[in-house]
Amino acid sequence: GDTVPLLATVLVSLGFLIKLGAVPMHLWLPLAHAAAPAPASAVLSGAMLKAGLFGLITVLPLGQTALPEVAVAFAAMALAGLILAPVLGLVQQDPKAVLAYSSIGQMSLILLGLAAALAAPGAWVLIAPALVILATHHAFAKAALFLGVPAVWAVDRGVMRTSVLALMALPALALAGMPGTSGWLAKTDLKTALEGAPVGWSIWLGTALFVVSLGTSLLLLRALVSLACGASQ
């Protein structure tokens, strides 16, 4: 509210951006996933990243006041994340680190939605449910993928490993936005919600959706191939 000092709002927002894994405050995320056991990674990506989103929704004046300067800053961070996530993720050797970079790309798309809402407060009533759907879809799909990593490592190459990888391909396709999946529905809702935003934002969103889908597809393919070729642990 008006009684909250501006500096406090800025600092709290920065904390939530770190938790969201927004570029350039994302450095902790791949390191944490690579070191953590798979169940912890599932919780980290499935729940804790979303705490950053819901924290930002709480502290920012979304739907109330236009903050064009903050919107541009958020958009720049989001676009940087969409580009850096596949570039850095594809060279990782640890499949969990690859999955972590795909989370950075997905969270960057969510941050772009917040940026559009800060630029056009009237669009927030539609953007809010779209972001909640996107975050929920990502939480379940990414948790399934992280939990699948030790399942693959627990079996030798052959029919069993192929079967586990085939099951993991289902949430992977959803995250990539394959038509008919939850990811496709979530991204379609977000695209529809931003039709009320300024024209420039609609153009950025269309490009971002293509980039995040392509980047996520490449990263998840990289992770699954790495798991398929890796030794049992």
Side-chain angles (χ1 to χ4, degrees):
D2 296 335
T3 59
V4 179
L6 177 61
L7 180 59
T9 301
V10 171
L11 293 176
V12 171
S13 297
L14 287 174
F16 285 130
L17 286 170
I18 293 173
K19 187 173 285 292
L20 187 69
V23 173
M25 295 169 280
H26 67 289
L27 300 178
W28 65 274
L29 187 56
L31 297 175
H33 278 305
S41 293
V43 174
L44 187 66
S45 187
M48 289 187 64
L49 290 181
K50 311 310 177 295
L53 168 63
F54 295 117
L56 289 170
I57 290 175
T58 300
V59 301
L60 295 175
L62 296 163
Q64 303 173 22
T65 306
L67 298 176
E69 296 83 3
V70 178
V72 170
F74 277 17
M77 295 168 65
L79 294 174
L82 292 174
I83 295 171
L84 288 177
V87 171
L88 298 178
L90 288 173
V91 300
Q92 303 299 314
Q93 301 300 317
D94 189 330
K96 291 198 298 178
V98 178
L99 292 176
Y101 275 103
S102 74
S103 291
I104 292 172
Q106 296 284 327
M107 294 304 101
S108 296
L109 181 62
I110 287 177
L111 185 60
L112 187 60
L114 290 175
L118 289 172
W124 176 239
V125 67
L126 295 177
I127 293 175
L131 291 183
V132 171
I133 293 172
L134 187 61
T136 303
H137 138 80
H138 178 267
F140 284 102
K142 189 53 68 68
L145 285 170
F146 275 115
L147 292 175
V149 170
V152 173
W153 284 341
V155 296
D156 294 325
R157 297 179 189 176
V159 176
M160 287 299 297
R161 177 169 291 196
T162 301
S163 300
V164 175
L165 289 170
L167 290 174
M168 291 181 66
L170 297 177
L173 289 172
L175 284 171
M178 181 179 178
T181 64
S182 59
W184 177 78
L185 292 173
K187 291 171 184 176
T188 299
D189 285 346
L190 182 58
K191 185 176 182 179
T192 302
L194 289 197
E195 290 179 355
V199 176
W201 288 99
S202 300
I203 295 173
W204 278 117
L205 178 69
T207 303
L209 286 172
F210 172 77
V211 171
V212 75
S213 295
L214 177 60
T216 299
S217 299
L218 293 174
L219 287 171
L220 294 177
L221 180 61
R222 172 75 177 88
L224 292 177
V225 169
S226 176
L227 285 170
C229 299
S232 300
Q233 295 188 3

